Amino acid sequence: MRIGAMQKFSMIDYPGKLAAILFTQGCNFRCPYCHNPELVDSALFAKPLEELDVLAFLNKRVGQLDGVVITGGEPTLHEDLPLLIKKIRSLGFLIKLDTNGSNPAMLRRLFAENLIDYCAMDIKAPAAKYQKITRSKVSIVAIKESIELIKEANIEYEFRSTLVDEMLSAEEVLEMGSLIGKAKRYFLQRFVSTKTLDASFRKAQPISDDTLKSLKAHFNTLLTECSLR
Ligand code: SF4
């Protein structure tokens, strides 16, 4: 397991919980607006943390933190993810997994073993634009399978989309909503310009607030909850 970094405390990454965050190295997507290039581009990888050190830290936080968020990069690329989660769960922590949804086989395994309490999946684009936006050979069949697995897993979950103005029109965001169907929670996230995987996106703009608000209003007629971030 390649854990590139750990954030020891967060009040915002696991809804309603105090959590630590583990960032895994490696991703099979190349979203140009990605704000974690050091977890995606192997040339930028830091020396991975020792798993024993991570577990020792978490052991000291038993009773102080509710859960652990495992994010990336793309955590499901790591075959030993279930093993790491079992070790963390044995300390009594809840687990939130962030995923790009490209590995439904791993999700199926994790859900079957009851290893996930909350799953957050990115919806990157409408089906026809998924490869273009992620700059990767993603299987839309796999993406749709992951969406259905998450909805049926009887766990807390959310879908979420980061919206960059020059990449997606409002009509395309509506198409993205149709991918998740009658899901419980969908978050529309404003793109925030910081460091990006593709340097030319550092000056990219989020979709306008007016458009976001009208998309939110539309999705709230279809879903249990649609909110802005
Ligand atoms: S934003 Fe895209 S490239 Fe970056 S970690 Fe997520 S899926 Fe990978």
Side-chain angles (χ1 to χ4, degrees):
M1 192 78 190
R2 293 187 63 99
I3 302 170
M6 173 168 61
Q7 185 176 321
K8 293 182 175 177
F9 180 74
S10 169
M11 295 174 69
I12 58 172
D13 288 85
Y14 191 147
K17 309 288 182 198
L18 303 180
I21 310 175
L22 304 183
F23 297 88
T24 63
Q25 290 175 332
C27 187
N28 50 343
F29 288 5
R30 289 293 180 274
C31 313
Y33 55 81
C34 175
H35 63 271
N36 284 324
E38 69 282 0
L39 299 169
V40 174
D41 179 351
S42 59
L44 303 176
F45 286 177
K47 184 169 176 268
L49 304 182
E50 293 291 338
E51 186 181 297
L52 280 177
D53 292 341
V54 170
L55 292 170
F57 165 78
L58 292 174
N59 197 29
K60 283 194 255 171
R61 290 297 183 273
V62 171
Q64 297 171 34
L65 296 175
D66 305 307
V68 175
V69 177
I70 304 180
T71 189
E74 176 50 36
T76 66
L77 297 182
H78 300 271
E79 270 302 308
D80 51 353
L81 177 64
L83 189 58
L84 175 67
I85 292 177
K86 283 176 191 169
K87 290 175 188 169
I88 297 172
R89 282 182 85 84
S90 73
L91 299 173
F93 293 110
L94 299 167
I95 301 289
K96 173 175 177 268
L97 174 72
D98 293 348
T99 180
N100 63 21
S102 61
N103 191 349
M106 176 61 83
L107 291 181
R108 191 183 295 279
R109 184 172 157 199
L110 294 169
F111 296 155
E113 296 188 49
N114 289 318
L115 295 179
I116 305 296
D117 300 287
Y118 192 117
C119 188
M121 176 177 161
D122 293 340
I123 305 296
K124 302 286 188 187
K129 265 181 99 170
Y130 234 92
Q131 298 204 13
K132 183 175 180 202
I133 299 274
T134 62
R135 297 183 178 177
S136 67
K137 291 210 171 296
V138 58
S139 157
I140 195 65
V141 173
I143 295 295
K144 288 179 177 174
E145 188 179 344
S146 290
I147 291 170
E148 293 311 311
L149 284 169
I150 290 167
K151 286 163 70 178
E152 291 165 7
N154 201 23
I155 57 172
E156 288 293 305
Y157 69 83
E158 69 184 52
F159 297 104
R160 60 203 189 172
S161 297
T162 299
L163 304 177
V164 181
D165 191 35
E166 65 197 74
M167 299 186 85
L168 293 165
S169 66
E171 291 71 27
E172 287 171 329
V173 180
L174 293 178
E175 283 180 52
M176 290 156 66
S178 68
L179 275 177
I180 62 172
K182 289 196 178 298
K184 273 193 276 190
R185 294 170 116 187
Y186 187 31
F187 289 101
L188 303 177
Q189 305 183 146
R190 295 174 179 89
F191 168 74
V192 178
S193 180
T194 51
K195 62 183 187 307
T196 51
L197 186 60
D198 179 334
S200 70
F201 273 73
R202 280 174 202 166
K203 291 188 179 152
Q205 295 298 312
I207 281 187
S208 76
D209 268 1
D210 284 350
T211 305
L212 276 174
K213 282 178 193 159
S214 73
L215 286 167
K216 172 177 177 268
H218 170 80
F219 285 127
N220 269 321
T221 66
L222 304 173
L223 310 172
T224 310
E225 178 193 353
C226 177
S227 300
L228 306 181
R229 277 181 178 151

mmCIF file with all atom_site columns, all heavy atoms in Angstrom, residues 26-37 39-40 72-74 99-100 122 124 134 197, ligand 1:
data_model
loop_
_atom_site.group_PDB
_atom_site.id
_atom_site.type_symbol
_atom_site.label_atom_id
_atom_site.label_alt_id
_atom_site.label_comp_id
_atom_site.label_asym_id
_atom_site.label_entity_id
_atom_site.label_seq_id
_atom_site.pdbx_PDB_ins_code
_atom_site.Cartn_x
_atom_site.Cartn_y
_atom_site.Cartn_z
_atom_site.occupancy
_atom_site.B_iso_or_equiv
_atom_site.pdbx_formal_charge
_atom_site.auth_seq_id
_atom_site.auth_comp_id
_atom_site.auth_asym_id
_atom_site.auth_atom_id
_atom_site.pdbx_PDB_model_num
ATOM   1   N  N   . GLY A 1 26  ? -0.944  7.231  -6.675  1.00 0.00 ? 26  GLY A N   1
ATOM   2   C  CA  . GLY A 1 26  ? -1.260  6.565  -7.933  1.00 0.00 ? 26  GLY A CA  1
ATOM   3   C  C   . GLY A 1 26  ? -2.697  6.789  -8.327  1.00 0.00 ? 26  GLY A C   1
ATOM   4   O  O   . GLY A 1 26  ? -3.603  6.715  -7.489  1.00 0.00 ? 26  GLY A O   1
ATOM   5   N  N   . CYS A 1 27  ? -2.902  7.100  -9.599  1.00 0.00 ? 27  CYS A N   1
ATOM   6   C  CA  . CYS A 1 27  ? -4.264  7.250  -10.127 1.00 0.00 ? 27  CYS A CA  1
ATOM   7   C  C   . CYS A 1 27  ? -4.257  6.855  -11.603 1.00 0.00 ? 27  CYS A C   1
ATOM   8   O  O   . CYS A 1 27  ? -3.279  7.115  -12.315 1.00 0.00 ? 27  CYS A O   1
ATOM   9   C  CB  . CYS A 1 27  ? -4.778  8.677  -9.966  1.00 0.00 ? 27  CYS A CB  1
ATOM   10  S  SG  . CYS A 1 27  ? -6.530  8.812  -10.429 1.00 0.00 ? 27  CYS A SG  1
ATOM   11  N  N   . ASN A 1 28  ? -5.341  6.238  -12.037 1.00 0.00 ? 28  ASN A N   1
ATOM   12  C  CA  . ASN A 1 28  ? -5.463  5.835  -13.446 1.00 0.00 ? 28  ASN A CA  1
ATOM   13  C  C   . ASN A 1 28  ? -6.154  6.908  -14.297 1.00 0.00 ? 28  ASN A C   1
ATOM   14  O  O   . ASN A 1 28  ? -6.324  6.724  -15.490 1.00 0.00 ? 28  ASN A O   1
ATOM   15  C  CB  . ASN A 1 28  ? -6.221  4.504  -13.556 1.00 0.00 ? 28  ASN A CB  1
ATOM   16  C  CG  . ASN A 1 28  ? -7.524  4.509  -12.785 1.00 0.00 ? 28  ASN A CG  1
ATOM   17  O  OD1 . ASN A 1 28  ? -7.744  5.365  -11.923 1.00 0.00 ? 28  ASN A OD1 1
ATOM   18  N  ND2 . ASN A 1 28  ? -8.385  3.580  -13.079 1.00 0.00 ? 28  ASN A ND2 1
ATOM   19  N  N   . PHE A 1 29  ? -6.577  8.011  -13.696 1.00 0.00 ? 29  PHE A N   1
ATOM   20  C  CA  . PHE A 1 29  ? -7.132  9.143  -14.428 1.00 0.00 ? 29  PHE A CA  1
ATOM   21  C  C   . PHE A 1 29  ? -6.089  10.271 -14.471 1.00 0.00 ? 29  PHE A C   1
ATOM   22  O  O   . PHE A 1 29  ? -5.173  10.316 -13.649 1.00 0.00 ? 29  PHE A O   1
ATOM   23  C  CB  . PHE A 1 29  ? -8.395  9.683  -13.756 1.00 0.00 ? 29  PHE A CB  1
ATOM   24  C  CG  . PHE A 1 29  ? -9.624  8.797  -13.878 1.00 0.00 ? 29  PHE A CG  1
ATOM   25  C  CD1 . PHE A 1 29  ? -9.568  7.546  -14.471 1.00 0.00 ? 29  PHE A CD1 1
ATOM   26  C  CD2 . PHE A 1 29  ? -10.849 9.239  -13.386 1.00 0.00 ? 29  PHE A CD2 1
ATOM   27  C  CE1 . PHE A 1 29  ? -10.700 6.749  -14.577 1.00 0.00 ? 29  PHE A CE1 1
ATOM   28  C  CE2 . PHE A 1 29  ? -11.981 8.443  -13.493 1.00 0.00 ? 29  PHE A CE2 1
ATOM   29  C  CZ  . PHE A 1 29  ? -11.919 7.202  -14.074 1.00 0.00 ? 29  PHE A CZ  1
ATOM   30  N  N   . ARG A 1 30  ? -6.306  11.179 -15.390 1.00 0.00 ? 30  ARG A N   1
ATOM   31  C  CA  . ARG A 1 30  ? -5.414  12.341 -15.500 1.00 0.00 ? 30  ARG A CA  1
ATOM   32  C  C   . ARG A 1 30  ? -6.243  13.622 -15.649 1.00 0.00 ? 30  ARG A C   1
ATOM   33  O  O   . ARG A 1 30  ? -6.022  14.423 -16.572 1.00 0.00 ? 30  ARG A O   1
ATOM   34  C  CB  . ARG A 1 30  ? -4.475  12.183 -16.708 1.00 0.00 ? 30  ARG A CB  1
ATOM   35  C  CG  . ARG A 1 30  ? -3.403  11.105 -16.531 1.00 0.00 ? 30  ARG A CG  1
ATOM   36  C  CD  . ARG A 1 30  ? -2.394  11.484 -15.458 1.00 0.00 ? 30  ARG A CD  1
ATOM   37  N  NE  . ARG A 1 30  ? -1.342  10.490 -15.250 1.00 0.00 ? 30  ARG A NE  1
ATOM   38  C  CZ  . ARG A 1 30  ? -1.445  9.437  -14.450 1.00 0.00 ? 30  ARG A CZ  1
ATOM   39  N  NH1 . ARG A 1 30  ? -2.573  9.217  -13.782 1.00 0.00 ? 30  ARG A NH1 1
ATOM   40  N  NH2 . ARG A 1 30  ? -0.436  8.620  -14.302 1.00 0.00 ? 30  ARG A NH2 1
ATOM   41  N  N   . CYS A 1 31  ? -7.192  13.819 -14.751 1.00 0.00 ? 31  CYS A N   1
ATOM   42  C  CA  . CYS A 1 31  ? -8.049  15.011 -14.810 1.00 0.00 ? 31  CYS A CA  1
ATOM   43  C  C   . CYS A 1 31  ? -7.144  16.252 -14.776 1.00 0.00 ? 31  CYS A C   1
ATOM   44  O  O   . CYS A 1 31  ? -6.362  16.417 -13.827 1.00 0.00 ? 31  CYS A O   1
ATOM   45  C  CB  . CYS A 1 31  ? -8.986  15.045 -13.614 1.00 0.00 ? 31  CYS A CB  1
ATOM   46  S  SG  . CYS A 1 31  ? -9.801  13.463 -13.291 1.00 0.00 ? 31  CYS A SG  1
ATOM   47  N  N   . PRO A 1 32  ? -7.217  17.130 -15.750 1.00 0.00 ? 32  PRO A N   1
ATOM   48  C  CA  . PRO A 1 32  ? -6.259  18.241 -15.819 1.00 0.00 ? 32  PRO A CA  1
ATOM   49  C  C   . PRO A 1 32  ? -6.371  19.209 -14.638 1.00 0.00 ? 32  PRO A C   1
ATOM   50  O  O   . PRO A 1 32  ? -5.398  19.843 -14.265 1.00 0.00 ? 32  PRO A O   1
ATOM   51  C  CB  . PRO A 1 32  ? -6.619  18.930 -17.136 1.00 0.00 ? 32  PRO A CB  1
ATOM   52  C  CG  . PRO A 1 32  ? -8.006  18.489 -17.452 1.00 0.00 ? 32  PRO A CG  1
ATOM   53  C  CD  . PRO A 1 32  ? -8.161  17.119 -16.875 1.00 0.00 ? 32  PRO A CD  1
ATOM   54  N  N   . TYR A 1 33  ? -7.562  19.286 -14.034 1.00 0.00 ? 33  TYR A N   1
ATOM   55  C  CA  . TYR A 1 33  ? -7.782  20.211 -12.910 1.00 0.00 ? 33  TYR A CA  1
ATOM   56  C  C   . TYR A 1 33  ? -7.445  19.584 -11.558 1.00 0.00 ? 33  TYR A C   1
ATOM   57  O  O   . TYR A 1 33  ? -7.613  20.231 -10.521 1.00 0.00 ? 33  TYR A O   1
ATOM   58  C  CB  . TYR A 1 33  ? -9.249  20.683 -12.891 1.00 0.00 ? 33  TYR A CB  1
ATOM   59  C  CG  . TYR A 1 33  ? -10.235 19.540 -12.857 1.00 0.00 ? 33  TYR A CG  1
ATOM   60  C  CD1 . TYR A 1 33  ? -10.536 18.890 -11.668 1.00 0.00 ? 33  TYR A CD1 1
ATOM   61  C  CD2 . TYR A 1 33  ? -10.841 19.092 -14.021 1.00 0.00 ? 33  TYR A CD2 1
ATOM   62  C  CE1 . TYR A 1 33  ? -11.417 17.826 -11.636 1.00 0.00 ? 33  TYR A CE1 1
ATOM   63  C  CE2 . TYR A 1 33  ? -11.724 18.027 -14.014 1.00 0.00 ? 33  TYR A CE2 1
ATOM   64  C  CZ  . TYR A 1 33  ? -12.012 17.402 -12.815 1.00 0.00 ? 33  TYR A CZ  1
ATOM   65  O  OH  . TYR A 1 33  ? -12.863 16.331 -12.796 1.00 0.00 ? 33  TYR A OH  1
ATOM   66  N  N   . CYS A 1 34  ? -6.966  18.322 -11.564 1.00 0.00 ? 34  CYS A N   1
ATOM   67  C  CA  . CYS A 1 34  ? -6.655  17.613 -10.312 1.00 0.00 ? 34  CYS A CA  1
ATOM   68  C  C   . CYS A 1 34  ? -5.756  18.472 -9.427  1.00 0.00 ? 34  CYS A C   1
ATOM   69  O  O   . CYS A 1 34  ? -4.721  18.975 -9.877  1.00 0.00 ? 34  CYS A O   1
ATOM   70  C  CB  . CYS A 1 34  ? -5.958  16.298 -10.639 1.00 0.00 ? 34  CYS A CB  1
ATOM   71  S  SG  . CYS A 1 34  ? -5.406  15.406 -9.176  1.00 0.00 ? 34  CYS A SG  1
ATOM   72  N  N   . HIS A 1 35  ? -6.140  18.619 -8.151  1.00 0.00 ? 35  HIS A N   1
ATOM   73  C  CA  . HIS A 1 35  ? -5.328  19.459 -7.275  1.00 0.00 ? 35  HIS A CA  1
ATOM   74  C  C   . HIS A 1 35  ? -4.373  18.644 -6.396  1.00 0.00 ? 35  HIS A C   1
ATOM   75  O  O   . HIS A 1 35  ? -3.803  19.163 -5.444  1.00 0.00 ? 35  HIS A O   1
ATOM   76  C  CB  . HIS A 1 35  ? -6.218  20.394 -6.429  1.00 0.00 ? 35  HIS A CB  1
ATOM   77  C  CG  . HIS A 1 35  ? -7.128  19.662 -5.499  1.00 0.00 ? 35  HIS A CG  1
ATOM   78  N  ND1 . HIS A 1 35  ? -8.387  19.255 -5.861  1.00 0.00 ? 35  HIS A ND1 1
ATOM   79  C  CD2 . HIS A 1 35  ? -6.963  19.260 -4.230  1.00 0.00 ? 35  HIS A CD2 1
ATOM   80  C  CE1 . HIS A 1 35  ? -8.951  18.624 -4.846  1.00 0.00 ? 35  HIS A CE1 1
ATOM   81  N  NE2 . HIS A 1 35  ? -8.110  18.602 -3.847  1.00 0.00 ? 35  HIS A NE2 1
ATOM   82  N  N   . ASN A 1 36  ? -4.210  17.348 -6.740  1.00 0.00 ? 36  ASN A N   1
ATOM   83  C  CA  . ASN A 1 36  ? -3.237  16.519 -6.025  1.00 0.00 ? 36  ASN A CA  1
ATOM   84  C  C   . ASN A 1 36  ? -2.231  15.894 -6.984  1.00 0.00 ? 36  ASN A C   1
ATOM   85  O  O   . ASN A 1 36  ? -2.049  14.673 -7.005  1.00 0.00 ? 36  ASN A O   1
ATOM   86  C  CB  . ASN A 1 36  ? -3.956  15.396 -5.262  1.00 0.00 ? 36  ASN A CB  1
ATOM   87  C  CG  . ASN A 1 36  ? -4.632  15.895 -4.013  1.00 0.00 ? 36  ASN A CG  1
ATOM   88  O  OD1 . ASN A 1 36  ? -4.110  16.782 -3.343  1.00 0.00 ? 36  ASN A OD1 1
ATOM   89  N  ND2 . ASN A 1 36  ? -5.796  15.344 -3.700  1.00 0.00 ? 36  ASN A ND2 1
ATOM   90  N  N   . PRO A 1 37  ? -1.558  16.711 -7.805  1.00 0.00 ? 37  PRO A N   1
ATOM   91  C  CA  . PRO A 1 37  ? -0.627  16.118 -8.784  1.00 0.00 ? 37  PRO A CA  1
ATOM   92  C  C   . PRO A 1 37  ? 0.446   15.263 -8.136  1.00 0.00 ? 37  PRO A C   1
ATOM   93  O  O   . PRO A 1 37  ? 0.902   14.279 -8.730  1.00 0.00 ? 37  PRO A O   1
ATOM   94  C  CB  . PRO A 1 37  ? -0.012  17.344 -9.486  1.00 0.00 ? 37  PRO A CB  1
ATOM   95  C  CG  . PRO A 1 37  ? -0.354  18.525 -8.657  1.00 0.00 ? 37  PRO A CG  1
ATOM   96  C  CD  . PRO A 1 37  ? -1.592  18.179 -7.894  1.00 0.00 ? 37  PRO A CD  1
ATOM   97  N  N   . LEU A 1 39  ? 0.087   13.113 -6.029  1.00 0.00 ? 39  LEU A N   1
ATOM   98  C  CA  . LEU A 1 39  ? -0.438  11.762 -5.793  1.00 0.00 ? 39  LEU A CA  1
ATOM   99  C  C   . LEU A 1 39  ? -0.774  11.055 -7.095  1.00 0.00 ? 39  LEU A C   1
ATOM   100 O  O   . LEU A 1 39  ? -1.208  9.908  -7.105  1.00 0.00 ? 39  LEU A O   1
ATOM   101 C  CB  . LEU A 1 39  ? -1.707  11.840 -4.923  1.00 0.00 ? 39  LEU A CB  1
ATOM   102 C  CG  . LEU A 1 39  ? -1.519  12.437 -3.537  1.00 0.00 ? 39  LEU A CG  1
ATOM   103 C  CD1 . LEU A 1 39  ? -2.866  12.706 -2.875  1.00 0.00 ? 39  LEU A CD1 1
ATOM   104 C  CD2 . LEU A 1 39  ? -0.678  11.500 -2.671  1.00 0.00 ? 39  LEU A CD2 1
ATOM   105 N  N   . VAL A 1 40  ? -0.600  11.747 -8.212  1.00 0.00 ? 40  VAL A N   1
ATOM   106 C  CA  . VAL A 1 40  ? -0.992  11.213 -9.521  1.00 0.00 ? 40  VAL A CA  1
ATOM   107 C  C   . VAL A 1 40  ? 0.224   10.988 -10.425 1.00 0.00 ? 40  VAL A C   1
ATOM   108 O  O   . VAL A 1 40  ? 0.375   9.930  -11.038 1.00 0.00 ? 40  VAL A O   1
ATOM   109 C  CB  . VAL A 1 40  ? -1.999  12.179 -10.197 1.00 0.00 ? 40  VAL A CB  1
ATOM   110 C  CG1 . VAL A 1 40  ? -2.316  11.725 -11.613 1.00 0.00 ? 40  VAL A CG1 1
ATOM   111 C  CG2 . VAL A 1 40  ? -3.273  12.287 -9.359  1.00 0.00 ? 40  VAL A CG2 1
ATOM   112 N  N   . GLY A 1 72  ? -7.204  9.746  -2.527  1.00 0.00 ? 72  GLY A N   1
ATOM   113 C  CA  . GLY A 1 72  ? -6.014  9.606  -3.354  1.00 0.00 ? 72  GLY A CA  1
ATOM   114 C  C   . GLY A 1 72  ? -5.695  10.897 -4.069  1.00 0.00 ? 72  GLY A C   1
ATOM   115 O  O   . GLY A 1 72  ? -6.067  11.968 -3.606  1.00 0.00 ? 72  GLY A O   1
ATOM   116 N  N   . GLY A 1 73  ? -5.096  10.591 -5.306  1.00 0.00 ? 73  GLY A N   1
ATOM   117 C  CA  . GLY A 1 73  ? -4.954  9.336  -6.013  1.00 0.00 ? 73  GLY A CA  1
ATOM   118 C  C   . GLY A 1 73  ? -6.265  8.532  -6.094  1.00 0.00 ? 73  GLY A C   1
ATOM   119 O  O   . GLY A 1 73  ? -7.333  9.067  -5.878  1.00 0.00 ? 73  GLY A O   1
ATOM   120 N  N   . GLU A 1 74  ? -6.110  7.262  -6.413  1.00 0.00 ? 74  GLU A N   1
ATOM   121 C  CA  . GLU A 1 74  ? -7.258  6.368  -6.468  1.00 0.00 ? 74  GLU A CA  1
ATOM   122 C  C   . GLU A 1 74  ? -6.995  5.146  -5.598  1.00 0.00 ? 74  GLU A C   1
ATOM   123 O  O   . GLU A 1 74  ? -6.260  4.238  -5.993  1.00 0.00 ? 74  GLU A O   1
ATOM   124 C  CB  . GLU A 1 74  ? -7.553  5.967  -7.918  1.00 0.00 ? 74  GLU A CB  1
ATOM   125 C  CG  . GLU A 1 74  ? -8.661  4.956  -8.069  1.00 0.00 ? 74  GLU A CG  1
ATOM   126 C  CD  . GLU A 1 74  ? -9.929  5.342  -7.311  1.00 0.00 ? 74  GLU A CD  1
ATOM   127 O  OE1 . GLU A 1 74  ? -10.284 6.536  -7.221  1.00 0.00 ? 74  GLU A OE1 1
ATOM   128 O  OE2 . GLU A 1 74  ? -10.571 4.429  -6.758  1.00 0.00 ? 74  GLU A OE2 1
ATOM   129 N  N   . THR A 1 99  ? -13.496 7.599  -4.212  1.00 0.00 ? 99  THR A N   1
ATOM   130 C  CA  . THR A 1 99  ? -13.089 6.837  -5.391  1.00 0.00 ? 99  THR A CA  1
ATOM   131 C  C   . THR A 1 99  ? -13.518 7.531  -6.671  1.00 0.00 ? 99  THR A C   1
ATOM   132 O  O   . THR A 1 99  ? -14.496 8.289  -6.680  1.00 0.00 ? 99  THR A O   1
ATOM   133 C  CB  . THR A 1 99  ? -13.690 5.411  -5.348  1.00 0.00 ? 99  THR A CB  1
ATOM   134 O  OG1 . THR A 1 99  ? -13.277 4.684  -6.518  1.00 0.00 ? 99  THR A OG1 1
ATOM   135 C  CG2 . THR A 1 99  ? -15.216 5.430  -5.311  1.00 0.00 ? 99  THR A CG2 1
ATOM   136 N  N   . ASN A 1 100 ? -12.795 7.224  -7.764  1.00 0.00 ? 100 ASN A N   1
ATOM   137 C  CA  . ASN A 1 100 ? -13.230 7.716  -9.071  1.00 0.00 ? 100 ASN A CA  1
ATOM   138 C  C   . ASN A 1 100 ? -14.163 6.714  -9.767  1.00 0.00 ? 100 ASN A C   1
ATOM   139 O  O   . ASN A 1 100 ? -14.598 6.953  -10.888 1.00 0.00 ? 100 ASN A O   1
ATOM   140 C  CB  . ASN A 1 100 ? -12.037 8.077  -9.966  1.00 0.00 ? 100 ASN A CB  1
ATOM   141 C  CG  . ASN A 1 100 ? -11.145 6.877  -10.303 1.00 0.00 ? 100 ASN A CG  1
ATOM   142 O  OD1 . ASN A 1 100 ? -11.557 5.725  -10.228 1.00 0.00 ? 100 ASN A OD1 1
ATOM   143 N  ND2 . ASN A 1 100 ? -9.900  7.166  -10.699 1.00 0.00 ? 100 ASN A ND2 1
ATOM   144 N  N   . ASP A 1 122 ? -16.647 10.351 -7.408  1.00 0.00 ? 122 ASP A N   1
ATOM   145 C  CA  . ASP A 1 122 ? -16.651 11.478 -8.349  1.00 0.00 ? 122 ASP A CA  1
ATOM   146 C  C   . ASP A 1 122 ? -17.392 11.104 -9.626  1.00 0.00 ? 122 ASP A C   1
ATOM   147 O  O   . ASP A 1 122 ? -17.166 10.022 -10.180 1.00 0.00 ? 122 ASP A O   1
ATOM   148 C  CB  . ASP A 1 122 ? -15.220 11.837 -8.751  1.00 0.00 ? 122 ASP A CB  1
ATOM   149 C  CG  . ASP A 1 122 ? -14.411 12.402 -7.604  1.00 0.00 ? 122 ASP A CG  1
ATOM   150 O  OD1 . ASP A 1 122 ? -15.013 12.862 -6.617  1.00 0.00 ? 122 ASP A OD1 1
ATOM   151 O  OD2 . ASP A 1 122 ? -13.171 12.379 -7.704  1.00 0.00 ? 122 ASP A OD2 1
ATOM   152 N  N   . LYS A 1 124 ? -17.328 12.510 -13.213 1.00 0.00 ? 124 LYS A N   1
ATOM   153 C  CA  . LYS A 1 124 ? -16.421 13.439 -13.890 1.00 0.00 ? 124 LYS A CA  1
ATOM   154 C  C   . LYS A 1 124 ? -17.026 14.144 -15.088 1.00 0.00 ? 124 LYS A C   1
ATOM   155 O  O   . LYS A 1 124 ? -16.573 15.239 -15.457 1.00 0.00 ? 124 LYS A O   1
ATOM   156 C  CB  . LYS A 1 124 ? -15.171 12.685 -14.360 1.00 0.00 ? 124 LYS A CB  1
ATOM   157 C  CG  . LYS A 1 124 ? -14.405 11.994 -13.255 1.00 0.00 ? 124 LYS A CG  1
ATOM   158 C  CD  . LYS A 1 124 ? -13.660 12.989 -12.414 1.00 0.00 ? 124 LYS A CD  1
ATOM   159 C  CE  . LYS A 1 124 ? -12.726 12.311 -11.435 1.00 0.00 ? 124 LYS A CE  1
ATOM   160 N  NZ  . LYS A 1 124 ? -12.126 13.295 -10.517 1.00 0.00 ? 124 LYS A NZ  1
ATOM   161 N  N   . THR A 1 134 ? -11.250 12.991 -18.367 1.00 0.00 ? 134 THR A N   1
ATOM   162 C  CA  . THR A 1 134 ? -10.294 12.336 -17.459 1.00 0.00 ? 134 THR A CA  1
ATOM   163 C  C   . THR A 1 134 ? -8.961  12.037 -18.147 1.00 0.00 ? 134 THR A C   1
ATOM   164 O  O   . THR A 1 134 ? -8.025  11.570 -17.500 1.00 0.00 ? 134 THR A O   1
ATOM   165 C  CB  . THR A 1 134 ? -10.852 11.000 -16.924 1.00 0.00 ? 134 THR A CB  1
ATOM   166 O  OG1 . THR A 1 134 ? -11.074 10.115 -18.032 1.00 0.00 ? 134 THR A OG1 1
ATOM   167 C  CG2 . THR A 1 134 ? -12.164 11.207 -16.182 1.00 0.00 ? 134 THR A CG2 1
ATOM   168 N  N   . LEU A 1 197 ? -2.895  19.476 -11.975 1.00 0.00 ? 197 LEU A N   1
ATOM   169 C  CA  . LEU A 1 197 ? -2.060  18.509 -12.690 1.00 0.00 ? 197 LEU A CA  1
ATOM   170 C  C   . LEU A 1 197 ? -1.580  19.094 -14.014 1.00 0.00 ? 197 LEU A C   1
ATOM   171 O  O   . LEU A 1 197 ? -0.410  18.978 -14.366 1.00 0.00 ? 197 LEU A O   1
ATOM   172 C  CB  . LEU A 1 197 ? -2.881  17.226 -12.926 1.00 0.00 ? 197 LEU A CB  1
ATOM   173 C  CG  . LEU A 1 197 ? -2.157  16.048 -13.541 1.00 0.00 ? 197 LEU A CG  1
ATOM   174 C  CD1 . LEU A 1 197 ? -0.994  15.584 -12.671 1.00 0.00 ? 197 LEU A CD1 1
ATOM   175 C  CD2 . LEU A 1 197 ? -3.131  14.883 -13.760 1.00 0.00 ? 197 LEU A CD2 1
HETATM 176 S  S1  . SF4 B 2 .   ? -8.952  14.367 -9.643  1.00 0.00 ? 1   SF4 B S1  1
HETATM 177 FE FE1 . SF4 B 2 .   ? -8.705  12.826 -11.291 1.00 0.00 ? 1   SF4 B FE1 1
HETATM 178 S  S2  . SF4 B 2 .   ? -6.491  12.590 -11.556 1.00 0.00 ? 1   SF4 B S2  1
HETATM 179 FE FE2 . SF4 B 2 .   ? -6.810  13.595 -9.562  1.00 0.00 ? 1   SF4 B FE2 1
HETATM 180 S  S3  . SF4 B 2 .   ? -6.865  11.934 -8.088  1.00 0.00 ? 1   SF4 B S3  1
HETATM 181 FE FE3 . SF4 B 2 .   ? -8.990  12.334 -8.668  1.00 0.00 ? 1   SF4 B FE3 1
HETATM 182 S  S4  . SF4 B 2 .   ? -9.402  10.915 -10.366 1.00 0.00 ? 1   SF4 B S4  1
HETATM 183 FE FE4 . SF4 B 2 .   ? -7.170  11.004 -10.106 1.00 0.00 ? 1   SF4 B FE4 1
#
